[in-house]
Amino acid sequence: MSILFDSEKKIFKLDTSDSSYVFQIFEENYLVHLYYGAKIPDNNLTANYYRGWFASFCPSNAKVKADCFSPDVTPMEYSCEGAGDFRVSALAIRNSDGNNVTDVRYVSHKIYKGKPALEGLPSLHLNSEDEAETLEVLTEDRTTGALVTLIYTVFENYPVITRSVKVENGSDARMDIERVYSCCVEYERTDFNMMHLYGKWLKERTLQVRHLAHGIQSVVSKRGSSSHNHNPFVALADEKATEDYGEVYGFNLVYSGNFSAEIEVDAFNSTRLIMGINPESFGWILEPGEVFQSPEVVMVYSGEGVGGMSRAFHDIYRNNLLRGKWAKEKRPLLINSWEGCYFDFDDEKMVSFARKAKEMGIEMLVMDDGWFGKRNDDTSSLGDWFVNEDKLKGGLGSLIKRVNDIGLKFGIWFEPEMISPESKLYKEHPDWCVHVNDRENSIARQQYVIDMSRKDVRDNIFEQMYAILSDNPIDYLKWDFNRNISEAGSALLDSEHQKEFFHRFVLGTYELMDRITSAFPDLLMENCSGGGGRFDPGMLYYSPQIWCSDNTDPIERLTIQFGTSLCYPGMCMGAHVSANNRAGIDTRANVALWGTFGYELDPNKVSDEDKETVKKQIEKYHKYYDVIHFGDLYRIISPFENHYRSAWSYVSKDKNEMLFTSVVMRRPEISSYFVRFKGLDKDKYYKDEETGEVYSGALLMNAGLNFTNKDCSDGASFLKYFKAI
Ligand code: GLA
């Protein structure tokens, strides 16, 4: 039993593999948070509510007898706006009287095996009912009739709890949700570093670590997507925690739109974290009887440092987020045409790519942007998803047949949420693009965004995509999204509902993705947004891999991949060998082997010598596929901490294999280079594939190996593979 309710003390205790999460039904049915941290066997925590206070400035409830109870000071399980809690609040509902005072109290609860799916939203799923238990706590605001259900799912074999919130209008008057965060977590400590991932196009997911300070610190997106700029991930790490030791709490929102994570450290030295949809660009009208479901937050607790947190995210995402055949089955090794030829191709060029790619051992050709409408550059045709037969003479079917006959599978690129002003679709339906009346639309990459909140628009795009995908044997789809949303509004929403636009857009995108993945369950999807601008768990639910960045420079990629690996597994990180010549082709491959691996160059321009190298790289890709895709990641030298080298390893779950990668970013000042490996079995003996030398796991992890004689010039790299004997 991972969820226990102590009916005497009225305490809920949620136990994952390594953590406990405890809260209580307090006097007057307030829900009070008591503990979240390393697993504890007992629940004698009721004194934890007490933090004292300075009387008149911290409002209280006269009916509560307990000493020093105040929603402003007491750790609240789900903080509400306007009823005595002045800290960041998770919930605010404006009622028909016009005020937004919100105050939900416990009504009832149920505990059951399994996990509910969230209506219209991606979320973790179970492979069997036994994997998790769920607690639903029904709360009510008795004044307004808002019924708010706090949903917790507890995983028995992972240090993971998921949380979401459902709001139902139980009154007979309309209510307006102003904010509904998916979780609220309280700590009676402030000795944390906050870790988060910021970035931009070509430099996604840069790690930022800062000590918590009194006041509010936050990361948000209001760009309409989770964005390059901030990832919907935040961690609180004990200030003494490192990559390998100490407590770290990770939070990742399963959502691809505007999000917010706010952390407030108050004057009583407590820390509150809330995470969910960004309220700044959100509002939702709930008519009587209607229900609103928030997205889900995945909460991970690690007692084994940042690395332990990452491995827990990787495990749960591989097993319980990714879906369908490609979550487990070996994916075809692809070559993507984009960096090889951009828009400049025709059927003959694609066939020549396929022929050359086949010679090297590549298994799939992906034809990127430029195959549809009149698209020869980025000025036109998004929305016109029919084949440009001037380019692909004989049509798509004929091209795919030729590629298939060579022995390659075929993949294609779409950007379904966009519309070019220069397109047939825009001329026919100018009001289908996202816009607000009487205001000029901003343009970005020569394009507008199409209004995914509208069903008629989604139907049209679905039909166009369906025609292409059902008429042709297409194995892979790259789903792109190349701008953010400004002038956010829909022609179909009345003035009161315009505030719902952003969330409706995200729900619309999810619905379209759902229709495509249901109609074509064997299609391998790769998400993309100008590289990794929508690298979030919401997208991973539909596409098991996401193009990590348009930056394919192997050295600059290191920070991007390190940052991404904080919570996303390597098997989801789109990583290709390109023609970028900053480092040799070996280093480009060694870096791309961290992720999905593939090629993105003109294969006709690969020299004979490099062709032989590519063949060897592909052999390695096959050989190491399982350890990379299903093994545990250990980050050994971080490019965020070391200016000279980066290193990481994958260790198979049975600890029989290890693949180690080391890259020189810049010739180190100190030549000596020892590596102490991680995650091996100390009692096993491992053979170095290259030298035949045998070492114990204990030796490898404690004494380590001396790599001082390895090439340490700029951009040099090496792989080392060890197998237990
Ligand atoms: C984005 C993607 C690229 C490529 C182009 C095509 O920038 O990240 O990989 O698909 O769009 O326009």
Side-chain angles (χ1 to χ4, degrees):
M1 289 282 277
S2 43
I3 301 178
L4 291 169
F5 179 62
D6 179 334
S7 52
E8 216 169 284
K9 292 182 180 158
K10 296 191 173 171
I11 283 182
F12 296 100
K13 182 158 179 283
L14 284 53
D15 287 328
T16 72
S17 58
D18 299 340
S19 64
S20 295
Y21 183 102
V22 188
F23 63 101
Q24 181 189 18
I25 308 166
F26 202 71
E27 285 181 53
E28 294 301 316
N29 292 322
Y30 284 103
L31 288 174
V32 168
H33 181 83
L34 298 177
Y35 174 73
Y36 180 31
K39 196 165 182 169
I40 49 174
D42 45 351
N43 69 6
N44 194 3
L45 290 160
T46 47
N48 280 16
Y49 90 89
Y50 183 80
R51 287 174 186 173
W53 89 85
F54 294 96
S56 60
F57 293 95
C58 302
S60 187
N61 180 332
K63 292 188 195 141
V64 176
K65 304 281 179 300
D67 192 19
C68 289
F69 171 84
S70 164
D72 193 28
V73 179
T74 303
M76 304 302 286
E77 182 56 25
Y78 192 63
S79 58
C80 294
E81 182 70 25
D85 185 341
F86 297 112
R87 294 169 288 168
V88 289
S89 61
L91 183 70
I93 301 176
R94 197 166 290 279
N95 62 37
S96 53
D97 284 352
N99 71 74
N100 73 348
V101 178
T102 308
D103 184 3
V104 299
R105 313 277 183 89
Y106 172 85
V107 176
S108 63
H109 71 269
K110 58 182 180 188
I111 295 169
Y112 56 90
K113 278 223 166 298
K115 179 176 192 295
L118 305 186
E119 176 81 36
L121 287 164
S123 60
L124 300 196
H125 66 270
L126 303 184
N127 303 298
S128 87
E129 290 272 287
D130 293 340
E131 279 179 295
E133 268 189 343
T134 295
L135 164 67
E136 292 192 13
V137 181
L138 177 66
T139 67
E140 184 181 12
D141 185 328
R142 296 212 170 91
T143 308
T144 64
L147 297 166
V148 178
T149 306
L150 311 180
I151 305 169
Y152 306 77
T153 296
V154 181
F155 287 77
E156 282 181 28
N157 298 324
Y158 299 112
V160 173
I161 298 174
T162 59
R163 290 178 65 176
S164 72
V165 174
K166 199 165 73 181
V167 182
E168 182 179 346
N169 184 346
S171 77
D172 50 17
R174 155 183 158 172
M175 49 182 70
D176 289 34
I177 303 176
E178 293 186 336
R179 53 170 58 207
V180 51
Y181 276 80
S182 303
C183 75
C184 172
V185 181
E186 302 256 14
Y187 299 90
E188 50 296 324
R189 53 186 285 202
T190 64
D191 54 344
F192 283 124
N193 284 322
M194 172 184 178
M195 305 176 80
H196 56 104
L197 301 167
Y198 75 95
K200 58 183 180 185
W201 180 60
L202 299 181
K203 191 163 174 42
E204 294 88 340
R205 289 170 295 288
T206 312
L207 176 63
Q208 173 93 59
V209 182
R210 51 177 154 146
H211 202 270
L212 285 190
H214 284 93
I216 299 167
Q217 34 258 289
S218 62
V219 279
V220 302
S221 167
K222 52 179 190 175
R223 311 176 77 92
S225 75
S226 48
S227 86
H228 297 85
N229 305 60
H230 293 288
N231 197 263
F233 159 80
V234 66
L236 291 178
D238 183 296
E239 62 188 9
K240 293 189 281 307
T242 63
E243 176 68 19
D244 301 308
Y245 304 100
E247 290 195 297
V248 182
Y249 300 82
F251 301 84
N252 200 194
L253 189 68
V254 188
Y255 191 60
S256 310
N258 297 334
F259 72 90
S260 160
E262 291 195 48
I263 301 167
E264 179 165 6
V265 177
D266 71 7
F268 292 81
N269 284 353
S270 351
T271 300
R272 170 181 287 171
L273 179 148
I274 57 176
M275 193 174 205
I277 296 177
N278 186 349
E280 199 185 323
S281 46
F282 168 82
W284 200 268
I285 295 174
L286 264 196
E287 299 294 346
E290 284 183 350
V291 173
F292 180 86
Q293 172 66 56
S294 86
E296 174 169 287
V297 169
V298 181
M299 311 200 308
V300 164
Y301 169 82
S302 162
E304 291 170 16
V306 182
M309 174 199 72
S310 298
R311 287 184 290 280
F313 273 121
H314 299 174
D315 282 341
I316 196 92
Y317 286 172
R318 284 185 296 213
N319 290 315
N320 300 88
L321 179 62
L322 308 188
R323 299 175 307 155
K325 160 171 167 176
W326 299 111
K328 298 268 182 295
E329 240 173 71
K330 191 165 178 193
R331 304 179 199 155
L333 171 62
L334 67 82
I335 183 164
N336 177 295
S337 66
W338 181 244
E339 287 195 31
C341 59
Y342 299 102
F343 295 103
D344 179 20
F345 63 88
D346 60 10
D347 50 329
E348 290 306 328
K349 192 178 267 183
M350 284 297 112
V351 170
S352 78
F353 272 36
R355 216 173 274 128
K356 280 281 160 18
K358 176 69 185 171
E359 284 168 21
M360 295 188 280
I362 292 168
E363 297 160 339
M364 178 160 74
L365 172 71
V366 175
M367 179 173 63
D368 208 278
D369 193 356
W371 58 268
F372 51 90
K374 297 196 174 80
R375 187 132 163 124
N376 292 314
D377 54 31
D378 61 14
T379 57
S380 83
S381 304
L382 296 169
D384 295 347
W385 301 111
F386 45 83
V387 178
N388 179 343
E389 297 212 8
D390 291 339
K391 260 181 162 170
L392 305 183
K393 292 163 207 81
L396 188 57
S398 140
L399 170 64
I400 298 177
K401 177 152 189 331
R402 293 172 72 193
V403 170
N404 288 166
D405 286 349
I406 291 168
L408 263 69
K409 294 178 183 300
F410 188 84
I412 201 164
W413 181 96
F414 277 98
E415 197 177 357
E417 295 146 279
M418 297 292 158
I419 186 164
S420 302
E422 213 31 69
S423 66
K424 190 166 158 287
L425 193 70
Y426 185 75
K427 301 230 152 58
E428 284 164 11
H429 302 283
D431 65 330
W432 278 15
C433 82
V434 173
H435 69 283
V436 295
N437 288 339
D438 304 327
R439 195 174 285 282
E440 201 179 329
N441 246 5
S442 303
I443 194 117
R445 209 200 187 206
Q446 321 272 1
Q447 64 199 53
Y448 296 145
V449 184
I450 205 167
D451 186 354
M452 276 291 145
S453 73
R454 292 175 61 150
K455 181 158 185 325
D456 54 350
V457 171
R458 294 197 299 272
D459 286 348
N460 176 291
I461 300 298
F462 175 76
E463 277 154 26
Q464 291 197 61
M465 292 176 79
Y466 186 86
I468 296 285
L469 296 170
S470 58
D471 285 353
N472 299 288
I474 292 176
D475 299 292
Y476 162 110
L477 189 159
K478 179 171 168 189
W479 184 305
D480 217 331
F481 181 87
N482 277 323
R483 65 161 288 179
N484 288 136
I485 303 177
S486 56
E487 293 85 26
S490 168
L492 286 198
L493 292 172
D494 63 33
S495 59
E496 291 198 302
H497 286 82
Q498 287 293 345
K499 62 190 177 188
E500 299 176 358
F501 171 75
F502 272 117
H503 185 56
R504 287 187 181 276
F505 182 95
V506 177
L507 292 179
T509 294
Y510 287 153
E511 195 230 89
L512 183 61
M513 286 187 169
D514 204 51
R515 284 169 79 179
I516 296 288
T517 49
S518 306
F520 304 98
D522 290 343
L523 190 68
L524 170 59
M525 287 243 287
E526 175 153 354
N527 197 266
C528 179
S529 170
R534 213 160 49 169
F535 209 122
D536 62 61
M539 285 296 146
L540 285 178
Y541 178 81
Y542 300 98
S543 53
Q545 57 193 54
I546 300 180
W547 182 227
C548 212
S549 178
D550 280 342
N551 190 339
T552 52
D553 176 306
I555 304 303
E556 291 173 20
R557 263 273 174 152
L558 291 168
T559 53
I560 297 169
Q561 294 183 182
F562 255 84
T564 305
S565 78
L566 260 276
C567 53
Y568 306 107
M571 60 130 72
C572 302
M573 296 184 345
H576 298 166
V577 178
S578 75
N580 182 301
N581 55 13
R582 167 86 171 276
I585 192 160
D586 278 334
T587 294
R588 281 177 264 151
N590 290 343
V591 173
L593 270 174
W594 186 333
T596 56
F597 197 75
Y599 289 84
E600 184 153 345
L601 38 72
D602 181 343
N604 295 305
K605 294 187 181 150
V606 176
S607 68
D608 286 346
E609 192 191 335
D610 280 352
K611 218 154 115 191
E612 292 313 306
T613 308
V614 168
K615 284 185 192 163
K616 293 204 188 88
Q617 292 171 350
I618 291 176
E619 272 170 33
K620 287 184 189 154
Y621 156 82
H622 288 297
K623 181 161 177 199
Y624 305 142
Y625 187 94
D626 282 354
V627 69
I628 293 168
H629 280 238
F630 306 110
D632 285 329
L633 174 74
Y634 290 89
R635 289 177 294 249
I636 295 177
I637 305 175
S638 161
F640 294 116
E641 288 164 9
N642 188 307
H643 297 307
Y644 305 107
R645 297 184 203 269
S646 287
W648 63 96
S649 68
Y650 278 110
V651 177
S652 62
K653 286 281 175 194
D654 60 10
K655 297 191 184 292
N656 281 339
E657 285 179 89
M658 174 175 73
L659 179 69
F660 169 76
T661 312
S662 173
V663 182
V664 177
M665 299 179 289
R666 200 169 125 210
R667 177 182 284 279
E669 284 167 358
I670 299 168
S671 57
S672 144
Y673 182 33
F674 281 76
V675 172
R676 299 201 301 151
F677 298 94
K678 302 178 187 177
L680 299 171
D681 183 334
K682 70 176 175 30
D683 297 323
K684 285 187 175 162
Y685 279 80
Y686 296 87
K687 187 168 173 182
D688 176 339
E689 182 191 49
E690 188 187 18
T691 63
E693 295 287 340
V694 173
Y695 309 97
S696 67
L699 181 151
L700 291 170
M701 291 193 291
N702 292 296
L705 291 185
N706 184 353
F707 293 126
T708 307
N709 64 353
K710 290 279 181 195
D711 179 4
C712 62
S713 52
D714 291 8
S717 68
F718 65 93
L719 294 179
K720 274 272 169 194
Y721 176 70
F722 298 82
K723 195 161 187 179
I725 51 169

